[in-house]
Coordinates of all heavy atoms in Angstrom, one line a residue:
A249 N 84.7 -196.3 -2.8 CA 85.1 -196.1 -4.2 C 86.5 -195.3 -4.2 O 87.2 -195.7 -4.9 CB 84.0 -195.4 -4.9
R250 N 86.6 -194.3 -3.4 CA 87.9 -193.6 -3.4 C 89.0 -194.5 -2.9 O 90.2 -194.3 -3.4 CB 87.8 -192.3 -2.5 CG 86.7 -191.4 -3.0 CD 86.8 -190.0 -2.4 NE 85.6 -189.2 -2.8 CZ 85.5 -188.6 -4.0 NH1 86.4 -188.9 -5.0 NH2 84.4 -187.9 -4.3
C251 N 88.8 -195.4 -2.1 CA 90.0 -196.3 -1.7 C 90.4 -197.0 -2.8 O 91.6 -197.3 -3.0 CB 89.4 -197.1 -0.5 SG 89.3 -196.3 1.0
Y252 N 89.4 -197.7 -3.6 CA 89.7 -198.4 -4.8 C 90.5 -197.5 -5.8 O 91.5 -197.9 -6.4 CB 88.6 -199.0 -5.4 CG 88.0 -200.2 -4.7 CD1 86.7 -200.0 -4.1 CD2 88.6 -201.4 -4.7 CE1 86.2 -201.1 -3.4 CE2 88.0 -202.5 -4.1 CZ 86.8 -202.3 -3.4 OH 86.3 -203.4 -2.8
N253 N 90.1 -196.3 -6.0 CA 90.8 -195.4 -6.9 C 92.1 -195.2 -6.4 O 93.1 -195.2 -7.2 CB 90.0 -194.1 -7.1 CG 90.6 -193.2 -8.1 OD1 90.7 -193.5 -9.2 ND2 91.1 -192.1 -7.5
N254 N 92.3 -194.8 -5.1 CA 93.7 -194.5 -4.6 C 94.5 -195.7 -4.6 O 95.8 -195.5 -5.0 CB 93.6 -194.1 -3.1 CG 92.8 -192.7 -3.0 OD1 92.7 -192.0 -3.9 ND2 92.4 -192.5 -1.7
L255 N 94.0 -196.9 -4.5 CA 94.9 -198.1 -4.7 C 95.3 -198.3 -6.1 O 96.5 -198.6 -6.4 CB 94.2 -199.4 -4.1 CG 94.9 -200.7 -4.2 CD1 96.3 -200.6 -3.5 CD2 94.0 -201.8 -3.8
G256 N 94.4 -197.9 -7.0 CA 94.7 -198.0 -8.4 C 95.8 -197.1 -8.8 O 96.7 -197.4 -9.6
V257 N 95.8 -195.9 -8.2 CA 96.9 -194.9 -8.6 C 98.2 -195.5 -8.1 O 99.2 -195.4 -8.7 CB 96.6 -193.6 -7.7 CG1 97.8 -192.7 -7.9 CG2 95.3 -192.9 -8.4
Q258 N 98.3 -196.0 -6.8 CA 99.5 -196.6 -6.3 C 100.0 -197.8 -7.2 O 101.2 -197.9 -7.5 CB 99.3 -197.0 -4.9 CG 99.2 -196.1 -3.9 CD 100.3 -195.1 -3.8 OE1 101.4 -195.4 -3.9 NE2 99.9 -193.7 -3.9
L259 N 99.1 -198.7 -7.6 CA 99.5 -199.8 -8.4 C 99.9 -199.3 -9.8 O 100.9 -199.8 -10.4 CB 98.3 -200.8 -8.6 CG 97.9 -201.4 -7.4 CD1 96.5 -202.1 -7.5 CD2 98.9 -202.5 -7.0
Q260 N 99.2 -198.3 -10.4 CA 99.6 -197.7 -11.7 C 101.0 -197.2 -11.5 O 101.9 -197.2 -12.5 CB 98.7 -196.7 -12.1 CG 98.9 -196.2 -13.5 CD 97.9 -195.3 -14.1 OE1 96.7 -195.3 -13.6 NE2 98.2 -194.5 -15.1
N261 N 101.3 -196.4 -10.5 CA 102.6 -195.8 -10.3 C 103.7 -196.8 -10.2 O 104.9 -196.6 -10.5 CB 102.6 -194.8 -9.1 CG 101.8 -193.6 -9.3 OD1 101.6 -193.2 -10.4 ND2 101.4 -193.0 -8.2
D262 N 103.3 -198.0 -9.8 CA 104.2 -199.2 -9.6 C 104.4 -200.0 -10.8 O 105.0 -201.0 -10.9 CB 103.7 -200.0 -8.4 CG 104.8 -200.8 -7.7 OD1 106.0 -200.4 -7.8 OD2 104.5 -201.8 -7.2
G263 N 103.6 -199.6 -11.9 CA 103.7 -200.3 -13.1 C 102.8 -201.6 -13.1 O 103.0 -202.4 -14.1
R264 N 102.0 -201.8 -12.2 CA 101.0 -203.0 -12.1 C 99.7 -202.6 -12.8 O 98.7 -202.4 -12.1 CB 100.9 -203.3 -10.7 CG 102.2 -203.7 -10.1 CD 102.2 -204.1 -8.7 NE 101.4 -205.2 -8.5 CZ 101.0 -205.8 -7.3 NH1 101.5 -205.2 -6.2 NH2 100.2 -206.8 -7.1
W265 N 99.7 -202.5 -14.2 CA 98.6 -202.0 -14.8 C 97.3 -202.8 -14.7 O 96.2 -202.2 -14.5 CB 99.0 -201.9 -16.3 CG 100.2 -201.0 -16.6 CD1 101.5 -201.5 -16.8 CD2 100.2 -199.6 -16.6 NE1 102.4 -200.5 -17.0 CE2 101.6 -199.3 -16.9 CE3 99.3 -198.6 -16.5 CZ2 101.9 -197.9 -17.0 CZ3 99.7 -197.3 -16.6 CH2 101.0 -197.1 -16.7
L266 N 97.4 -204.1 -14.8 CA 96.2 -204.8 -14.7 C 95.5 -204.7 -13.4 O 94.3 -204.6 -13.3 CB 96.5 -206.4 -15.0 CG 96.9 -206.6 -16.5 CD1 97.3 -208.1 -16.6 CD2 96.0 -206.2 -17.5
N267 N 96.2 -204.7 -12.3 CA 95.7 -204.5 -10.9 C 95.1 -203.1 -10.9 O 94.0 -203.0 -10.1 CB 96.7 -204.7 -9.9 CG 97.2 -206.2 -9.9 OD1 97.6 -206.7 -11.0 ND2 97.2 -206.9 -8.7
A268 N 95.8 -202.1 -11.3 CA 95.2 -200.8 -11.3 C 93.9 -200.7 -12.1 O 93.0 -200.1 -11.5 CB 96.3 -199.9 -11.9
I269 N 93.9 -201.3 -13.3 CA 92.7 -201.3 -14.0 C 91.5 -202.0 -13.2 O 90.4 -201.5 -13.2 CB 92.8 -202.0 -15.4 CG1 93.7 -201.1 -16.2 CG2 91.4 -202.4 -16.1 CD1 94.2 -201.8 -17.5
A270 N 91.7 -203.1 -12.6 CA 90.8 -203.8 -11.8 C 90.2 -202.8 -10.7 O 89.0 -202.8 -10.4 CB 91.2 -205.1 -11.2
N271 N 91.1 -202.1 -10.0 CA 90.7 -201.2 -9.0 C 89.9 -200.1 -9.4 O 89.0 -199.6 -8.9 CB 91.9 -200.8 -8.1 CG 92.2 -201.9 -7.1 OD1 91.6 -202.0 -6.1 ND2 93.2 -202.7 -7.5
Y272 N 90.3 -199.4 -10.6 CA 89.7 -198.3 -11.2 C 88.2 -198.8 -11.6 O 87.2 -198.0 -11.5 CB 90.5 -197.8 -12.4 CG 91.7 -197.0 -12.0 CD1 92.8 -197.1 -12.9 CD2 91.9 -196.2 -10.9 CE1 94.0 -196.4 -12.6 CE2 93.0 -195.6 -10.7 CZ 94.1 -195.7 -11.4 OH 95.2 -195.1 -11.2
K273 N 88.1 -200.0 -12.2 CA 86.8 -200.5 -12.5 C 85.9 -200.5 -11.4 O 84.8 -200.2 -11.5 CB 86.9 -201.8 -13.3 CG 87.4 -201.8 -14.7 CD 87.4 -203.1 -15.2 CE 87.8 -203.2 -16.7 NZ 87.6 -204.6 -17.3
K274 N 86.5 -201.1 -10.3 CA 85.6 -201.2 -9.1 C 85.2 -199.8 -8.6 O 84.0 -199.6 -8.3 CB 86.4 -201.9 -8.0 CG 85.5 -202.2 -6.8 CD 84.4 -203.2 -7.1 CE 83.7 -203.6 -5.8 NZ 82.5 -204.4 -6.0
A275 N 86.1 -198.9 -8.7 CA 85.7 -197.5 -8.2 C 84.7 -196.9 -9.0 O 83.7 -196.3 -8.6 CB 87.0 -196.7 -8.1
Y276 N 84.7 -197.1 -10.3 CA 83.8 -196.5 -11.3 C 82.5 -197.2 -11.2 O 81.5 -196.5 -11.2 CB 84.4 -196.7 -12.6 CG 83.4 -196.1 -13.7 CD1 83.2 -194.8 -13.8 CD2 82.7 -196.9 -14.7 CE1 82.4 -194.2 -14.8 CE2 81.9 -196.3 -15.6 CZ 81.7 -195.0 -15.6 OH 80.9 -194.4 -16.5
E277 N 82.5 -198.6 -10.9 CA 81.2 -199.2 -10.7 C 80.5 -198.7 -9.4 O 79.2 -198.6 -9.5 CB 81.4 -200.7 -10.4 CG 81.8 -201.5 -11.7 CD 82.2 -202.9 -11.4 OE1 82.0 -203.4 -10.2 OE2 82.7 -203.6 -12.3
L278 N 81.2 -198.3 -8.4 CA 80.6 -197.9 -7.1 C 80.1 -196.4 -7.3 O 79.2 -196.0 -6.6 CB 81.6 -198.0 -6.0 CG 81.9 -199.4 -5.6 CD1 83.0 -199.5 -4.6 CD2 80.6 -200.1 -5.1
M279 N 80.9 -195.6 -8.1 CA 80.5 -194.2 -8.2 C 80.7 -193.8 -9.7 O 81.7 -193.0 -10.0 CB 81.5 -193.3 -7.4 CG 81.2 -193.4 -5.9 SD 82.3 -192.3 -4.9 CE 81.8 -190.8 -5.4
P280 N 79.8 -194.1 -10.6 CA 80.1 -193.8 -12.0 C 79.9 -192.3 -12.3 O 80.4 -191.9 -13.3 CB 78.8 -194.6 -12.7 CG 77.9 -194.9 -11.6 CD 78.6 -194.9 -10.3
E281 N 79.5 -191.5 -11.5 CA 79.3 -190.1 -11.7 C 80.6 -189.4 -11.4 O 80.8 -188.3 -11.8 CB 78.2 -189.4 -10.7 CG 78.6 -189.5 -9.2 CD 78.4 -190.8 -8.5 OE1 77.9 -191.8 -9.1 OE2 78.6 -190.8 -7.3
E282 N 81.7 -190.0 -10.9 CA 83.0 -189.5 -10.6 C 83.9 -189.6 -11.8 O 84.4 -190.6 -12.1 CB 83.6 -190.3 -9.4 CG 84.9 -189.7 -9.0 CD 84.8 -188.2 -8.5 OE1 84.0 -187.9 -7.7 OE2 85.6 -187.4 -9.0
N283 N 84.0 -188.5 -12.5 CA 84.8 -188.5 -13.8 C 86.2 -188.9 -13.6 O 86.9 -189.4 -14.5 CB 84.7 -187.2 -14.5 CG 83.3 -187.0 -15.0 OD1 82.6 -187.9 -15.5 ND2 82.8 -185.7 -15.2
Q284 N 86.8 -188.6 -12.4 CA 88.2 -188.9 -12.1 C 88.5 -190.3 -12.3 O 89.5 -190.8 -12.8 CB 88.7 -188.4 -10.9 CG 90.1 -188.5 -10.6 CD 91.0 -187.8 -11.6 OE1 90.7 -186.5 -11.9 NE2 91.9 -188.3 -12.2
F285 N 87.5 -191.2 -11.8 CA 87.7 -192.7 -11.9 C 87.7 -193.2 -13.3 O 88.5 -194.0 -13.7 CB 86.5 -193.4 -11.2 CG 86.5 -193.0 -9.6 CD1 85.3 -193.3 -8.9 CD2 87.4 -192.3 -9.0 CE1 85.2 -193.0 -7.6 CE2 87.4 -192.1 -7.6 CZ 86.3 -192.4 -6.9
K286 N 86.8 -192.6 -14.1 CA 86.8 -192.9 -15.6 C 88.1 -192.4 -16.3 O 88.7 -193.2 -17.1 CB 85.6 -192.2 -16.2 CG 85.4 -192.7 -17.7 CD 84.1 -192.2 -18.2 CE 83.5 -191.0 -17.7 NZ 82.3 -190.5 -18.4
N287 N 88.6 -191.3 -15.9 CA 89.8 -190.8 -16.5 C 91.0 -191.7 -16.1 O 91.8 -191.8 -16.9 CB 90.0 -189.3 -16.1 CG 89.1 -188.3 -16.7 OD1 88.4 -188.6 -17.7 ND2 89.0 -187.2 -16.0
N288 N 91.0 -192.0 -14.9 CA 92.1 -192.9 -14.4 C 92.1 -194.2 -15.1 O 93.2 -194.8 -15.4 CB 92.1 -193.1 -12.9 CG 92.6 -191.8 -12.1 OD1 93.1 -190.9 -12.7 ND2 92.2 -191.8 -10.8
L289 N 91.0 -194.8 -15.3 CA 90.8 -196.0 -16.0 C 91.3 -195.9 -17.4 O 92.0 -196.8 -17.9 CB 89.3 -196.5 -16.0 CG 89.0 -197.8 -16.6 CD1 89.7 -198.8 -16.0 CD2 87.5 -198.1 -16.5
A290 N 90.9 -194.9 -18.1 CA 91.4 -194.7 -19.4 C 93.0 -194.5 -19.5 O 93.6 -195.1 -20.4 CB 90.6 -193.4 -20.1
S291 N 93.4 -193.8 -18.4 CA 95.0 -193.6 -18.4 C 95.5 -194.9 -18.2 O 96.7 -195.2 -18.8 CB 95.2 -192.7 -17.3 OG 96.6 -192.6 -17.1
A292 N 95.1 -195.7 -17.4 CA 95.7 -197.1 -17.1 C 95.7 -197.9 -18.4 O 96.6 -198.6 -18.8 CB 95.0 -197.8 -16.0
Y293 N 94.5 -198.0 -19.1 CA 94.4 -198.7 -20.4 C 95.4 -198.2 -21.3 O 96.0 -198.9 -22.1 CB 93.0 -198.7 -20.9 CG 92.1 -199.7 -20.5 CD1 90.9 -199.4 -19.8 CD2 92.4 -201.1 -20.5 CE1 90.0 -200.3 -19.3 CE2 91.5 -202.0 -20.1 CZ 90.4 -201.7 -19.5 OH 89.5 -202.6 -19.1
S294 N 95.6 -196.9 -21.4 CA 96.6 -196.2 -22.4 C 98.0 -196.7 -22.0 O 98.8 -197.1 -22.9 CB 96.4 -194.8 -22.4 OG 97.4 -194.1 -23.2
G295 N 98.4 -196.6 -20.7 CA 99.6 -197.0 -20.3 C 100.0 -198.4 -20.5 O 101.1 -198.8 -20.9
L296 N 98.9 -199.3 -20.3 CA 99.1 -200.8 -20.6 C 99.4 -200.9 -22.1 O 100.3 -201.7 -22.4 CB 97.9 -201.5 -20.2 CG 97.9 -203.0 -20.5 CD1 99.0 -203.7 -19.7 CD2 96.5 -203.6 -20.1
G297 N 98.7 -200.3 -22.9 CA 98.9 -200.4 -24.3 C 100.2 -200.0 -24.7 O 100.9 -200.6 -25.5
A298 N 100.6 -198.8 -24.2 CA 102.0 -198.3 -24.6 C 103.0 -199.2 -24.1 O 104.1 -199.4 -24.8 CB 102.1 -196.9 -23.9
Q299 N 102.9 -199.9 -23.0 CA 103.9 -200.8 -22.4 C 103.9 -202.1 -23.3 O 105.1 -202.5 -23.7 CB 103.6 -201.2 -21.0 CG 104.5 -202.1 -20.4 CD 105.3 -201.5 -19.3 OE1 104.7 -200.6 -18.7 NE2 106.4 -201.9 -19.0
L300 N 102.8 -202.5 -23.7 CA 102.8 -203.8 -24.5 C 103.4 -203.7 -25.8 O 103.8 -204.6 -26.4 CB 101.3 -204.3 -24.5 CG 100.8 -204.9 -23.2 CD1 99.3 -205.3 -23.4 CD2 101.6 -206.1 -22.8
F301 N 103.2 -202.4 -26.5 CA 103.7 -202.2 -27.8 C 105.0 -201.5 -27.8 O 105.5 -201.1 -28.9 CB 102.7 -201.5 -28.6 CG 101.3 -202.2 -28.9 CD1 100.3 -202.0 -28.2 CD2 101.4 -203.2 -29.9 CE1 99.1 -202.8 -28.3 CE2 100.3 -204.0 -30.1 CZ 99.1 -203.7 -29.4
N302 N 105.6 -201.4 -26.7 CA 107.0 -200.9 -26.6 C 108.0 -202.0 -27.2 O 108.0 -203.1 -26.7 CB 107.4 -200.5 -25.2 CG 108.8 -199.9 -25.0 OD1 109.6 -200.2 -25.9 ND2 108.9 -199.3 -23.8
P303 N 108.8 -201.6 -28.1 CA 109.7 -202.6 -28.7 C 110.8 -203.1 -27.7 O 111.4 -204.2 -27.9 CB 110.3 -202.0 -29.9 CG 110.1 -200.5 -29.7 CD 108.9 -200.4 -28.8
N304 N 111.0 -202.4 -26.7 CA 111.9 -202.8 -25.7 C 111.4 -203.5 -24.5 O 112.0 -203.9 -23.5 CB 112.7 -201.5 -25.1 CG 113.5 -200.8 -26.2 OD1 114.1 -201.5 -27.0 ND2 113.4 -199.6 -26.2
F305 N 110.1 -203.9 -24.6 CA 109.3 -204.6 -23.5 C 109.9 -206.0 -23.4 O 110.0 -206.7 -24.3 CB 107.8 -204.7 -24.0 CG 106.9 -205.1 -23.0 CD1 106.8 -204.4 -21.8 CD2 106.2 -206.4 -23.0 CE1 105.9 -204.9 -20.8 CE2 105.3 -206.8 -22.1 CZ 105.2 -206.1 -21.0
S306 N 110.2 -206.4 -22.2 CA 110.8 -207.6 -21.9 C 109.9 -208.6 -21.3 O 108.8 -208.2 -20.7 CB 112.1 -207.4 -21.1 OG 111.7 -207.0 -19.8
F307 N 110.3 -209.8 -21.2 CA 109.6 -210.9 -20.4 C 109.5 -210.5 -19.0 O 108.5 -210.7 -18.3 CB 110.2 -212.3 -20.6 CG 109.5 -213.4 -19.9 CD1 108.2 -213.8 -20.2 CD2 109.9 -213.8 -18.7 CE1 107.5 -214.8 -19.5 CE2 109.3 -214.7 -17.9 CZ 108.1 -215.2 -18.2
Y308 N 110.6 -210.0 -18.4 CA 110.6 -209.6 -17.0 C 109.6 -208.5 -16.7 O 108.9 -208.5 -15.8 CB 112.1 -209.1 -16.6 CG 112.1 -208.5 -15.2 CD1 112.0 -209.2 -14.1 CD2 111.9 -207.1 -15.1 CE1 111.9 -208.7 -12.8 CE2 112.0 -206.5 -13.8 CZ 111.9 -207.3 -12.8 OH 111.9 -206.8 -11.5
A309 N 109.5 -207.5 -17.7 CA 108.5 -206.5 -17.5 C 107.1 -207.1 -17.6 O 106.2 -206.6 -16.9 CB 108.7 -205.4 -18.6
F310 N 106.9 -208.1 -18.4 CA 105.6 -208.7 -18.5 C 105.2 -209.4 -17.3 O 104.1 -209.3 -16.8 CB 105.5 -209.7 -19.7 CG 104.2 -210.3 -19.9 CD1 103.1 -209.7 -20.4 CD2 104.1 -211.7 -19.6 CE1 101.9 -210.3 -20.5 CE2 102.8 -212.3 -19.7 CZ 101.7 -211.6 -20.2
H311 N 106.3 -210.1 -16.7 CA 106.0 -210.8 -15.5 C 105.6 -209.8 -14.4 O 104.7 -210.1 -13.6 CB 107.2 -211.6 -15.0 CG 107.1 -212.3 -13.8 ND1 106.3 -213.4 -13.6 CD2 107.6 -212.0 -12.6 CE1 106.3 -213.8 -12.4 NE2 107.1 -213.0 -11.6
K312 N 106.3 -208.7 -14.3 CA 105.9 -207.7 -13.3 C 104.5 -207.1 -13.6 O 103.8 -206.9 -12.7 CB 107.0 -206.5 -13.4 CG 106.7 -205.4 -12.4 CD 107.8 -204.4 -12.4 CE 107.4 -203.3 -11.5 NZ 108.2 -202.0 -11.5
L313 N 104.1 -206.9 -14.8 CA 102.9 -206.5 -15.2 C 101.7 -207.4 -14.8 O 100.7 -206.9 -14.2 CB 102.9 -206.4 -16.8 CG 101.6 -205.8 -17.4 CD1 101.4 -204.4 -17.2 CD2 101.6 -206.1 -18.8
I314 N 101.9 -208.7 -14.8 CA 100.8 -209.6 -14.4 C 100.8 -210.0 -13.0 O 99.9 -210.7 -12.6 CB 100.8 -210.8 -15.4 CG1 102.0 -211.6 -15.3 CG2 100.5 -210.3 -16.8 CD1 102.0 -212.9 -16.1
R315 N 101.8 -209.7 -12.3 CA 101.8 -210.3 -10.9 C 100.9 -209.5 -10.0 O 100.3 -208.6 -10.2 CB 103.3 -210.1 -10.2 CG 103.6 -208.7 -10.0 CD 105.1 -208.7 -9.4 NE 105.5 -207.3 -9.5 CZ 105.6 -206.5 -8.4 NH1 105.1 -206.9 -7.3 NH2 106.0 -205.3 -8.6

């Protein structure tokens, strides 16, 4: 579970929000008692939302987001 979480952190730092969310979800499924995994998941959803609703958000950034 910690490996999934750590990978999620790296992906989130790289701006790869959807991949980060998938890894955080997996970490949380494996260890739901670990609050940090839930907090990281919430942070990634918040970051994704902020990025999508940014008026300067470009197609290039969207492509990077989904890769």
Side-chain angles (χ1 to χ4, degrees):
R250 295 196 187 286
C251 290
Y252 285 109
N253 184 67
N254 293 342
L255 179 56
V257 170
Q258 292 300 316
L259 292 165
Q260 184 172 344
N261 289 340
D262 206 24
R264 297 177 62 188
W265 300 102
L266 296 177
N267 295 54
I269 288 169
N271 279 277
Y272 291 145
K273 281 184 175 182
K274 185 65 175 175
Y276 183 69
E277 287 172 10
L278 294 171
M279 289 180 66
E281 69 279 1
E282 184 61 55
N283 286 330
Q284 186 62 47
F285 300 165
K286 186 171 31 176
N287 291 341
N288 288 347
L289 181 58
S291 172
Y293 274 121
S294 176
L296 175 63
Q299 181 113 27
L300 290 175
F301 290 102
N302 180 341
N304 297 321
F305 189 64
S306 68
F307 178 76
Y308 171 77
F310 180 73
H311 178 71
K312 182 180 177 188
L313 179 73
I314 61 171
R315 68 178 168 104

